[in-house]
Amino acid sequence: MGTSADPSPSPSRLASRIDSSRRRRFVGRTAEVELFESALAVPAESFSVLFVYGPGGIGKSSLLDAYADAAIRAGRQPLRLDGYAVSPPTPDGLRAALADALGGSPDGFAERLGDGSDWVLLIDTFELLAPLETWLRSRFLPQLPADLLIVVAGRRAPSAEWLADPGWRDLLRVISLRGLPPDGTRRYLEIEQVPAELQQQVIRLTHGHPLALSLVVDAIRRGGATAALPASLAEDPDLVRALLNRLIDAAPSRLHLAALQVCGHARHVTEAMLRAVLPELDEGESAASAAELFTWLRGLTFVDEVAAGLRSHDLARDVLDADLRWRDPEQYGVLHRRIRAYLVDRLQTREITPADRRSAMTDLLFLVRNHPVAGAHWDWGALGRGYTDPVTEADRAGLIELTERQQGPEQAGWVAHWLRRQPESFLLFRDADATLLGFAGYLSLDRADPADRDADPGTRAMWAYAEQYGPPRPGELVKAWRFLVDRVTTDERQLQAAGTMLGAFHAQDILLRPRTAWDFIGTYTDVEFWRSFLGHMDFRHLPEADYRIGTTDYAVFGHDWRRVGIAEWIDLTAARELGEPVTEPHRRGADLVLSHEEFATAVRDALRRLSRPAELAENPLTGSALVRQATGTDQPAEAALAALVRAAIDELAADPRSEPLHRVLNRTFVRPAPTQEKAAELLDLPFSTYRRHRDRAVDAVVARLWQRELDGGGE
């Protein structure tokens, strides 16, 4: 039931302490409160109705509390009404609820408000009064006192009739309430005494959503100062369910729920996407059904209309996506592949404009935003706003100067060299306002002059690798990212706008270009940092192609497109995005010889899959001399490999000096704990010490097996 606010609760009452605690935690809504205070200060020149809307849990009720406090400070009495108190939701029901809040009978309600200057009417949960909206707008509100200030708060935006009525144009103000800004979120976390080292993770996890913040703070309190927060909402189903119950109204049908799940996974949703990814729609009625679902999505409070289609608010999208992944992983994988296939098809359509192709590419990359490996290396803001430009003559001197400043004079000399030889191979990366973010050089080694190619240590090393391990046939391309220069930073471990835009262009180029033999990435220096991300894209470190410029060593990663073609690559990367078991492409045959780098990678993979021996069948080591000689008459190669790895682990137990390493391997790979954090706990080790022991132990296993490989597989 609605009540009027008590402007002066007794200090001895519990309500006083509750109000004080609530006010202390109210942060981040400065603009909304200042707007309301301005209307209180000069009512004759301001709006009469303030319409606040936003998804459940976004803080509408807390904002009304702040408005009630502001009204009291201005000498007005707040009159509170909640939509839940109006039962039934009829004109008489509303009059009765308001009269009860004011105290008295429904008769003469408006007269008891006088001219309205002493009151503020605050209506919460307005979505429950939707059947009354037309009556309220056209009949009830116009009969209230002229100086009464009214605030309406609900999940849905005002109907189109409000906005189309010229009489309301100057008297209605609409606020779409969103998550707290980062500074407001941080202030809230400081009030709640959340450890500083967790605050940035909480900000990223919750997007400033007040309900999410309070739930996460509760989780931190339960877990103490060392609480382990989920890396994404998908890791905490209880949190997801709590948010979902407040954010999402019940979907009217199974198809509406499916459309909602599309909205939770994709960056933008269109009718065409719904038709493509929801084959459950009846074939003969798909267009009409897709239109109906699109219109329904369009009316949800947490969905915005943008040029590219419909876009869900960040938190709602994360909650929907995490809920489906937790509830039905199989259906989640199906949905991911369908949306991915739709976007790939759209990218490869000739009729698409360059701007739409860039948007589709960003949408495609967006599907991996929560992946722990693939999603962590993208500057999502740069993807949404940046674009590429060709290099002009006027740009050259500036690019050379930028390279010298960021990467040294010798590298700058090679930029100048290739700008003369292949200027069309350079890309400028610009922000939306045309500011230069950086540039890259994506050279065509197959059509480079041999003398030019051999002069540059980088192109010489990459071409030599291609020549040795698979020379291109006539008409096949050999592409090489030779330069990447970011205007702001030289730290590869920081998110770089230029690096992000290089990745987006590269992925698009892969899907659109003609036959290619080799594709090299030779722009990075930190092998271990980039190994997992580029490995996810099926680009492997090729140590023999590494090169040095001045005092800087550059690592080269590569992909042979004749071994793993576009279609297989699309399937491979999709499986990795979903965390599914992947059949790794590799060279097979009786004479397979792995480099030390390849061998070590294969051993690490075998350790990770040791508890799932069937997955070892595609490990490259199954074709090595080491495993071939250990394979019995009736023993599969994967069983022999598992036995060899276990034997190498057991050897560590025989030496007292390496016995702690054996214990770590046992808890990590042989009898694995659910998580590595749990393994460290079971071993009674700090996590940093555990990781150090784990890495030493893995290296020891690699060394033992490598020596046996060099010995021809014998003891």
Side-chain angles (χ1 to χ4, degrees):
M1 178 178 292
T3 60
S4 59
D6 184 351
S8 55
S10 168
S12 62
R13 291 171 55 194
L14 180 59
S16 178
R17 295 182 62 185
I18 294 172
D19 288 342
S20 176
S21 177
R22 184 181 295 124
R23 292 187 188 100
R24 187 167 62 90
R25 287 171 168 80
F26 182 77
V27 296
R29 302 296 189 196
T30 304
E32 290 85 352
V33 173
E34 288 179 349
L35 175 66
F36 181 74
E37 289 175 336
S38 70
L40 290 171
V42 192
E45 301 177 10
S46 185
F47 50 83
S48 295
V49 174
L50 179 60
F51 201 119
V52 180
Y53 74 96
I58 201 66
K60 298 183 294 296
S61 297
S62 296
L63 183 60
L64 291 188
D65 290 338
Y67 286 168
D69 289 342
I72 293 170
R73 291 195 300 270
R76 291 199 181 200
Q77 178 77 358
L79 180 63
R80 299 290 293 266
L81 177 72
D82 196 296
Y84 285 106
V86 182
S87 180
T90 63
D92 288 343
L94 178 67
R95 291 191 189 98
L98 283 170
D100 188 47
L102 187 61
S105 69
D107 299 329
F109 164 75
E111 289 73 13
R112 292 203 299 278
L113 294 176
D115 64 1
S117 61
D118 292 334
W119 296 89
V120 171
L121 175 58
L122 305 170
I123 304 177
D124 203 355
T125 326
F126 188 68
E127 66 272 11
L128 297 182
L129 305 181
L132 302 178
E133 188 169 355
T134 299
W135 173 79
L136 277 165
R137 174 183 51 80
S138 62
R139 299 184 59 186
F140 181 73
L141 294 181
Q143 295 182 26
L144 295 181
D147 290 339
L148 177 66
L149 183 59
I150 303 161
V151 181
V152 173
R155 292 190 177 192
R156 298 181 176 87
S159 65
E161 287 77 9
W162 284 90
L163 306 176
D165 189 335
W168 279 104
R169 193 161 298 158
D170 297 329
L171 302 180
L172 176 69
R173 180 67 64 87
V174 179
I175 294 177
S176 174
L177 207 58
R178 297 293 186 263
L180 300 177
D183 57 343
T185 304
R186 197 173 298 279
R187 174 62 184 146
Y188 175 83
L189 296 176
E190 290 170 351
I191 291 171
E192 297 291 353
Q193 299 182 334
V194 172
E197 61 271 19
L198 295 178
Q199 290 182 10
Q200 189 57 41
Q201 186 180 356
V202 174
I203 291 171
R204 180 193 57 75
L205 180 68
T206 63
H207 303 289
H209 190 285
L211 174 62
L213 281 168
S214 64
L215 290 169
V216 171
V217 167
D218 285 345
I220 291 173
R221 284 176 174 165
R222 291 195 304 270
T226 59
L229 293 181
S232 70
L233 292 177
E235 295 184 19
D236 195 334
D238 291 334
L239 176 60
V240 171
R241 283 196 296 271
L243 293 174
L244 195 64
N245 289 337
R246 294 289 298 272
L247 273 170
I248 313 299
D249 292 327
S253 73
R254 179 179 56 83
L255 280 175
H256 286 79
L257 179 59
L260 202 55
Q261 290 164 344
V262 174
C263 200
H265 195 60
R267 181 169 175 253
H268 297 117
V269 177
T270 62
E271 282 189 35
M273 176 181 284
L274 291 175
R275 283 194 298 271
V277 304
L278 297 179
E280 297 89 346
L281 296 171
D282 292 336
E283 191 68 30
E285 303 175 2
S286 61
S289 298
E292 177 190 350
L293 295 176
F294 186 83
T295 300
W296 177 74
L297 289 173
R298 194 177 193 172
L300 299 177
T301 58
F302 51 84
V303 175
D304 288 330
E305 297 179 38
V306 296
L310 300 181
R311 181 179 65 195
S312 173
H313 296 180
D314 290 340
L315 181 68
R317 182 194 289 120
D318 285 356
V319 168
L320 283 165
D321 199 49
D323 180 73
L324 176 60
R325 188 160 200 165
W326 168 77
R327 186 186 305 276
D328 192 344
E330 183 176 342
Q331 179 58 30
Y332 183 89
V334 170
L335 180 66
H336 179 84
R337 282 188 161 85
R338 287 177 181 173
I339 295 175
R340 203 175 189 269
Y342 168 78
L343 292 171
V344 169
D345 287 345
R346 189 160 180 261
L347 271 165
Q348 294 177 327
T349 301
R350 292 184 179 275
E351 291 72 23
I352 194 172
T353 67
D356 286 344
R357 182 169 279 124
R358 285 196 300 271
S359 178
M361 189 68 242
T362 302
D363 288 355
L364 182 62
L365 294 175
F366 187 79
L367 297 179
V368 303
R369 63 194 180 279
N370 292 323
H371 192 281
V373 173
H377 288 75
W378 297 98
D379 179 346
W380 300 106
L383 276 176
R385 65 178 185 267
Y387 64 96
T388 60
D389 254 352
V391 174
T392 67
E393 186 65 37
D395 298 315
R396 295 189 182 191
L399 300 185
I400 295 168
E401 180 184 348
L402 176 62
T403 307
E404 183 167 2
R405 183 169 71 248
Q406 299 291 70
Q407 297 183 2
E410 188 168 341
Q411 183 79 322
W414 291 116
V415 167
H417 171 87
W418 287 109
L419 277 171
R420 291 191 299 270
R421 300 301 194 272
Q422 289 189 15
E424 71 284 356
S425 297
F426 284 77
L427 300 169
L428 301 183
F429 303 125
R430 296 193 184 278
D431 209 340
D433 61 1
T435 300
L436 181 68
L437 299 172
F439 75 93
Y442 194 28
L443 305 179
S444 297
L445 301 188
D446 55 288
R447 60 182 182 81
D449 183 276
D452 291 329
R453 196 171 52 212
D454 293 342
D456 176 358
T459 55
R460 181 173 66 243
M462 288 185 271
W463 181 257
Y465 189 94
E467 286 279 272
Q468 180 176 354
Y469 291 103
R473 297 182 290 266
E476 289 181 335
L477 307 181
V478 178
K479 302 287 288 184
W481 290 102
R482 172 63 179 84
F483 306 105
L484 172 62
V485 182
D486 188 274
R487 181 178 59 86
V488 176
T489 181
T490 59
D491 185 354
E492 294 177 13
R493 290 175 175 260
Q494 291 185 17
L495 285 177
Q496 296 182 334
T500 290
M501 296 182 71
L502 178 153
F505 179 91
H506 191 194
Q508 177 177 308
D509 188 60
I510 287 171
L511 296 171
L512 298 176
R513 67 186 174 209
R515 285 190 307 148
T516 305
W518 287 97
D519 205 348
F520 296 109
I521 301 173
T523 59
Y524 298 118
T525 63
D526 192 330
V527 176
E528 293 308 317
F529 181 73
W530 290 103
R531 186 193 305 278
S532 58
F533 174 66
L534 294 177
H536 172 89
M537 303 297 290
D538 207 46
F539 278 72
R540 307 307 174 103
H541 181 216
L542 311 174
E544 295 162 83
D546 292 350
Y547 62 95
R548 170 172 287 198
I549 301 293
T551 59
T552 302
D553 292 319
Y554 287 87
V556 174
F557 295 80
H559 182 95
D560 185 345
W561 288 105
R562 297 159 301 183
R563 183 169 63 93
V564 179
I566 299 296
E568 188 179 359
W569 179 80
I570 289 173
D571 290 342
L572 186 69
T573 52
R576 289 192 178 125
E577 288 167 9
L578 293 166
E580 297 175 349
V582 172
T583 300
E584 298 285 347
H586 59 270
R587 295 167 296 186
R588 301 293 300 247
D591 298 324
L592 176 64
V593 177
L594 299 173
S595 68
H596 182 267
E597 182 84 2
E598 292 170 327
F599 187 93
T601 299
V603 171
R604 294 187 182 101
D605 182 75
L607 282 165
R608 286 192 293 269
R609 300 173 190 270
L610 193 58
S611 61
R612 305 182 301 278
E615 295 181 18
L616 294 175
E618 295 299 321
N619 189 290
L621 290 173
T622 57
S624 67
L626 175 70
V627 172
R628 283 199 311 275
Q629 294 191 21
T631 303
T633 307
D634 300 320
Q635 185 184 34
E638 58 268 28
L641 174 57
L644 284 167
V645 173
R646 290 175 184 274
I649 292 173
D650 291 340
E651 288 173 14
L652 296 175
D655 186 342
R657 293 171 300 178
S658 58
E659 195 276 335
L661 303 184
H662 173 266
R663 293 176 59 238
V664 169
L665 289 172
N666 188 51
R667 268 300 176 192
T668 307
F669 302 114
V670 180
R671 294 188 301 116
T675 66
Q676 294 198 356
E677 288 82 0
K678 184 64 176 178
E681 179 185 332
L682 292 171
L683 293 166
D684 197 25
L685 293 173
F687 191 59
S688 59
T689 303
Y690 161 81
R691 287 190 302 179
R692 203 161 53 245
H693 284 8
R694 178 202 62 199
D695 292 344
R696 285 180 55 209
V698 169
D699 289 342
V701 171
V702 169
R704 279 170 167 74
L705 292 176
W706 177 245
Q707 188 57 53
R708 293 187 63 177
E709 170 77 357
L710 294 180
D711 293 341
E715 294 291 342

